[in-house]
Amino acid sequence: MPKVSEEHRAGRRRQIATGARRAFAEHGYAGATVEVLEREIGLSRGAIFSYFPTKLELFLALAQEDQHRILELWLESGHEAVVRHIVEDDPEWLAVYLDASRMLRTDPGLRDRWHTLNPDAQAQLERHYTELQSAGRIRSDVPLETVGRFLGVVFDGLAVQQAARFGRPIDVDGTIELLRSALAPK
């Protein structure tokens, strides 16, 4: 069998990820059957699954990539930038994450894996928020875990609103102002 360059492998992985993202966004996780993936990606199932052993592994690779990008944005530019990103993100792709929420709720093994997708960035984020609390830049009268869960609730709520397209745009600046107020030191 001829050797394939790393550049070729990276390009093929990107092709698969791009097509899979379209398939998951349009059809949801369950509806993105192998046939749908083949059509969207433009490759056979053998070619797809030689890079990703299962549909779930492919989805998790995309989720890990997105989660890493958001964590990096959060670390570099703060939670306000994350709010803006969620509101500007593709509503169809956000809907896939809502579908994933159901999977996470009902599958403890998947939930455990999900929490370990980007451990280094998660740890950096926790250290950053600990420093913000210590410096008095965000409230310290509640545990850091509560602050993190609160931000998660806000982000998830924005994703639901954006994915559902309720017809009215989200007031990003007002939302950010409320978030600032909620996190302001007491």
Side-chain angles (χ1 to χ4, degrees), residues 33-38 43-53:
T33 63
V34 173
E35 292 79 18
V36 168
L37 288 168
E38 286 177 314
L43 295 172
S44 70
R45 68 188 65 207
I48 296 167
F49 295 117
S50 68
Y51 287 84
F52 301 93

Side-chain angles (χ1 to χ4, degrees), residues 8 20 66 73 84 103-104 112 122 164 168:
H8 174 80
D66 287 355
L73 175 65
R84 291 187 190 286
M103 295 164 50
L104 291 168
D112 290 343
Q122 289 281 8
R168 293 192 309 242

Side-chain angles (χ1 to χ4, degrees), residues 136-157:
R137 295 186 53 210
I138 64 170
R139 62 189 303 163
S140 59
D141 60 323
V142 293
L144 186 60
E145 182 178 341
T146 302
V147 172
R149 286 194 181 264
F150 170 73
L151 288 169
V153 167
V154 171
F155 297 159
D156 290 348

